[in-house]
Amino acid sequence: MIESKVIEIGELVAAFAEEKLLVLFGPTATAELRSICVIHEFNKQPENLLKPGLKMEIGGQTYTITKVGDAANKNFDELGHISIYFRTGENEILPGAIIAEPEIYPAVKLNDTIRFHQ
């Protein structure tokens, strides 16, 4: 199991709730990105972790990854960056994004633990 601790929540993160989009980024995020991101820190480095069927626990809710963009694992491994869409019906998935179900936007709080497991 890979875990990550939420260490900062940007002031504009809540504005993306309507879009059902959550942007995660590691501690190296720039000042401009921090306002729209949930900044998190891994307990151990992931390696090609993201794949359909993987479970993700965020804010007390368990999600299942259904789609993974072409660059998602590389970005997540190197930068801790991933855009998570909690909605379906997208024709094209963005390279650095994943889609997860159910379509419920997570209630993320400071110091929460995000867990990834089978």
Side-chain angles (χ1 to χ4, degrees), residues 6-26:
V6 175
I7 57 174
E8 187 181 323
I9 298 174
E11 66 270 15
L12 299 176
V13 169
F16 291 95
E18 193 176 307
E19 294 292 319
K20 293 188 179 172
L21 169 62
L22 186 70
V23 181
L24 299 183
F25 218 109

Side-chain angles (χ1 to χ4, degrees), residues 2 12 29 34-35 57 70 75 77 84 89 97 99 105 108 112:
I2 299 268
L12 299 176
R34 287 181 179 273
S35 65
E57 294 174 33
D70 293 344
N75 291 347
D77 293 356
I84 308 170
I99 296 175
Y105 192 75
V108 183
D112 272 1

Side-chain angles (χ1 to χ4, degrees), residues 33-99:
L33 288 171
R34 287 181 179 273
S35 65
I36 63 164
C37 293
V38 170
I39 308 298
H40 68 106
E41 202 160 33
F42 291 116
N43 66 334
K44 62 182 176 186
Q45 191 59 35
E47 196 173 309
N48 288 317
L49 174 73
L50 306 170
K51 55 185 171 273
L54 184 74
K55 303 290 185 206
M56 207 172 38
E57 294 174 33
I58 305 175
Q61 174 74 44
T62 300
Y63 298 91
T64 302
I65 295 174
T66 58
K67 291 185 182 176
V68 178
D70 293 344
N73 274 299
K74 183 178 187 300
N75 291 347
F76 204 50
D77 293 356
E78 293 176 7
L79 304 169
H81 170 58
I82 192 81
S83 296
I84 308 170
Y85 290 90
F86 300 94
R87 63 178 198 243
T88 54
E90 304 298 312
N91 293 334
E92 283 290 317
I93 182 168
L94 295 170
I98 64 173
I99 296 175

